[in-house]
Amino acid sequence: MAQDQLVGLHGHIVVGTASRGHPARTRVRDFHGQDHYVMAEPDMADTRFAEGDEILLVRREGQIFRAISSGAPPFSQWIER
């Protein structure tokens, strides 16, 4: 799968904190169920993404993807304790 085809898919920050100019490692699952690991940073300069945040890849610039918040809570908040 070409990396450009990942644009429009949701991903999860798995390592690091992403801010503008400082991408973080992100796991994206394609339509075939295959995981891809890419570097992503926020599309907006005043946004940060922490490990566990779900994001939406909106465009690719070279090897870096730009993303926005998906609006979903972190995965750890989905589990009832």
Side-chain angles (χ1 to χ4, degrees):
M1 172 173 234
Q3 283 201 333
D4 286 336
Q5 293 177 320
L6 299 176
V7 173
L9 298 180
H10 291 262
H12 288 91
I13 303 293
V14 292
V15 177
T17 299
S19 59
R20 196 67 178 268
H22 301 280
R25 187 171 169 93
T26 304
R27 184 183 69 232
V28 181
R29 185 163 290 153
D30 67 23
F31 296 111
H32 304 289
Q34 297 295 312
D35 287 338
H36 300 266
Y37 291 88
V38 301
M39 299 302 286
E41 65 182 40
D43 193 41
M44 305 292 287
D46 61 343
T47 304
R48 296 175 77 85
F49 302 130
E51 287 183 24
D53 285 353
E54 184 174 326
I55 60 174
L56 175 64
L57 302 180
V58 294
R59 71 175 190 249
R60 180 177 168 216
E61 295 179 354
Q63 296 300 312
I64 305 297
F65 285 85
R66 295 290 177 94
I68 59 173
S69 175
S70 71
F75 180 74
S76 61
Q77 293 180 7
W78 296 352
I79 302 169
E80 291 185 37
R81 298 176 195 247

